[in-house]
Amino acid sequence: MLTLDRAPFGRAAGFGRATVLPVKAPRFHFDALPDLGVDIGSKTWWKGLASCVALCTVTLALAPGFHPLPASAGPVLAPAAWEESRAQAISPLAWGADSGRRMAATDAVQPLADTPDRPQVDMTATLGDGDSLSRALERAGVSGAEASRIANQVSSVVDPDEIAPGTALSLTLGRRARKTDPRPVQSLNFRARFDMKVAFERNPAGALIMRGIPIAVDSTPLRVDGMVGDSLYASARAAGAPGSAVQTYIRALAPKVSMDNIGASDRFSLVVEQQRAATGEVRYGKLLYVGLDRGGRSTRMIQWTVDGQTDWFDAAGVGQRRGGFQMPVANARKTSGFGWRLHPLLGYSRMHQGTDYGAAYGTPIRAVSDGIVTLAGWHGGHGQMVKLAHANGIGTGYAHMSRIAVSPGTRVAQGQVIGYVGSTGLSTGPHLHFEVYRGGAPVSPSSVTFESTPLLSGAQLAAFKAKLIEITSTRPAAHQLIASR
């Protein structure tokens, strides 16, 4: 209660002095609906949970229910009627006009009495993604029978399904007997393969003859040398190396040399498969050689296959360390370790049998090593979980996923995506709970490593060194020599 003192008689009028009277608290206070996010597991929390359940039960019991309203459904069109109706709509434009029809004419259209037919039509058709040669020819106006014959003739040179999407078909369609008939193919030219063009010509007897026209291709590998400078990637790209090859170069070099130890004056060298056609096109293949000179230290590597597995080997015949217990999530922070801790939801201490990594929702989760999926599904408080069995009795578990990308019994490779970060099960937020098992018992993830380094010897080492000399003997092109100086 707030009161104001009045000024006494004869005293100048002014603001009164405020007096605050204390308010007595009620003797009894009961909060029927406390905050269920506070004091989890306490007596007040359980009373609040019971009140919440009771209110929900009463609401469901008193709900009037929902009943569907009966309504009549329209007649279902037969397939032929549906195609006819669809051909008269605008929808074929959105579907690529695959119905082959055109919209019907209205009363405003005046038909012509007659028009002369062109003796031939020159046009260009293009193969789309997932398209076929015969279908592209039919869309251009070629009859189905002739399109099939052309595709069969092309199959003697190259599989028609392997013709690259985006290939341009240069067509000349000849004269037809009636306007309602499809035009015959007079000539057809396109690039069936990187090293071959195909040409069709109709001879005076009316037969369509195919000719394969080889294209000369130079398969000399591309070698790029240069100085690292401010950026290894930028310098290699500026020297003429394709972007995909530079990325592979950095990934292959990273296990051998720390990127932080590469200086601006160090020199790089890489060799890439390259095909240069006589018509001017260039196609790049896989990276063949990785080289780096750092003062008196030199790193040289090529790929070699041992026991069916291809790996990068240095000049001494030592391969990359396989396995290497890589991180299950990239750029993640460790939020909780292995051992006893107070559970954030249950409110009491219990053993935490893994390591938690905080990451954004949907971040890919990768297998830390090669293995077989033994579990892929719901696993109690772990929510969506995947378990992998590795060699030597080692296993790993990945919990609280938002989505699983593998199925039980499948084999996965190191680095393969097996799921995505989520917050399923007993979880307070998106993160990965990562577990490691030895002989079925959980152990600390920091106590386990997977390492194996392949070594070449004997005749295999001699063949490897001969291949290394062959690849490194590749000379840079003239413009690459200028860029590397």
Side-chain angles (χ1 to χ4, degrees):
M1 179 177 181
L2 180 66
T3 61
L4 299 176
D5 292 343
R6 297 179 179 274
F9 181 77
R11 187 178 298 174
F15 289 103
R17 183 178 55 190
T19 303
V20 180
L21 299 180
V23 179
K24 293 183 179 181
R27 295 182 180 179
F28 175 76
H29 173 73
F30 174 71
D31 189 359
L33 295 173
D35 186 357
L36 296 180
V38 180
D39 296 333
I40 298 174
S42 63
K43 185 176 181 181
T44 303
W45 184 85
W46 284 108
K47 288 182 179 180
L49 180 62
S51 301
C52 182
V53 173
L55 289 175
C56 294
T57 303
V58 171
T59 302
L60 292 175
L62 298 179
F66 300 93
H67 302 284
L69 297 176
S72 59
V76 179
L77 295 177
W82 161 246
E83 288 296 331
E84 191 68 27
S85 174
R86 187 168 71 98
Q88 306 301 320
I90 301 176
S91 52
L93 298 177
W95 295 336
D98 59 354
S99 65
R101 303 293 188 88
R102 299 292 183 269
M103 293 186 65
T106 64
D107 295 337
V109 176
Q110 296 295 327
L112 297 175
D114 190 20
T115 56
D117 199 15
R118 297 174 60 182
Q120 68 179 32
V121 177
D122 296 323
M123 62 185 304
T124 301
T126 304
L127 265 71
D129 290 330
D131 207 352
S132 65
L133 178 60
S134 59
R135 184 173 176 82
L137 292 174
E138 289 181 39
R139 286 200 308 271
V142 181
S143 67
E146 189 165 49
S148 297
R149 287 196 298 270
I150 292 174
N152 290 334
Q153 286 181 273
V154 172
S155 63
S156 63
V157 178
V158 62
D159 186 351
D161 295 333
E162 294 180 0
I163 300 175
T167 299
L169 309 175
S170 298
L171 273 166
T172 298
L173 303 181
R175 189 184 296 275
R176 52 190 173 180
R178 295 186 301 272
K179 292 183 179 180
T180 56
D181 294 341
R183 289 179 178 271
V185 175
Q186 199 67 27
S187 65
L188 169 64
N189 296 275
F190 64 94
R191 192 166 191 155
R193 260 195 339 241
F194 188 75
D195 61 347
M196 179 172 290
K197 292 179 66 175
V198 170
F200 284 85
E201 291 288 342
R202 191 172 295 278
N203 62 14
L208 199 60
I209 307 301
M210 185 190 75
R211 291 186 300 113
I213 306 173
I215 300 174
V217 175
D218 180 12
S219 299
T220 303
L222 169 69
R223 176 165 180 165
V224 179
D225 294 341
M227 188 175 293
V228 173
D230 295 335
S231 168
L232 175 58
Y233 180 85
S235 298
R237 292 286 288 129
S244 58
V246 179
Q247 294 174 4
T248 305
Y249 173 91
I250 294 175
R251 287 196 299 268
L253 194 63
K256 292 285 186 180
V257 180
S258 173
M259 294 294 108
D260 296 333
N261 295 333
I262 299 178
S265 60
D266 296 339
R267 301 189 64 84
F268 64 86
S269 178
L270 56 93
V271 178
V272 188
E273 287 182 341
Q274 176 187 239
Q275 290 182 314
R276 298 180 65 89
T279 51
E281 296 83 4
V282 179
R283 187 168 64 179
Y284 298 106
K286 65 180 181 179
L287 181 67
L288 300 176
Y289 171 73
V290 171
L292 180 68
D293 291 325
R294 297 180 297 148
R297 291 170 292 181
S298 178
T299 301
R300 298 184 300 161
M301 296 191 298
I302 64 172
Q303 284 191 320
W304 198 257
T305 302
V306 178
D307 298 331
Q309 185 168 356
T310 302
D311 205 347
W312 286 98
F313 287 78
D314 61 18
V318 179
Q320 302 279 25
R321 188 176 61 184
R322 295 177 181 171
F325 202 74
Q326 70 173 49
M327 285 287 291
V329 283
N331 302 323
R333 65 190 185 281
K334 181 179 177 180
T335 57
S336 183
F338 182 89
W340 287 90
R341 68 164 187 175
L342 180 67
H343 197 281
L345 288 179
L346 301 179
Y348 59 86
S349 295
R350 71 173 188 175
M351 185 66 179
H352 187 235
Q353 297 181 347
T355 299
D356 290 346
Y357 295 99
Y361 190 93
T363 301
I365 301 172
R366 303 180 184 275
V368 297
S369 185
D370 298 349
I372 299 175
V373 180
T374 58
L375 170 69
W378 191 267
H379 191 257
H382 288 134
Q384 297 280 6
M385 187 176 188
V386 170
K387 287 187 176 182
L388 304 178
H390 308 284
N392 303 320
I394 301 297
T396 53
Y398 313 77
H400 304 309
M401 292 183 175
S402 60
R403 184 162 61 92
I404 294 175
V406 293
S407 57
T410 58
R411 182 177 295 276
V412 296
Q414 184 185 37
Q416 180 178 336
V417 175
I418 59 175
Y420 300 88
V421 170
S423 185
T424 55
L426 292 178
S427 172
T428 58
H431 72 285
L432 170 67
H433 173 77
F434 175 65
E435 295 184 350
V436 178
Y437 319 100
R438 181 184 282 116
V443 296
S444 175
S446 61
S447 67
V448 178
T449 57
F450 304 125
E451 296 181 1
S452 63
T453 304
L455 300 174
L456 301 180
S457 60
Q460 197 172 44
L461 180 59
F464 167 81
K465 290 189 174 183
K467 185 67 174 179
L468 178 62
I469 294 173
E470 176 188 347
I471 293 177
T472 53
S473 63
T474 304
R475 302 301 302 168
H479 73 279
Q480 297 157 9
L481 287 172
I482 294 172
S484 63
R485 290 175 183 173

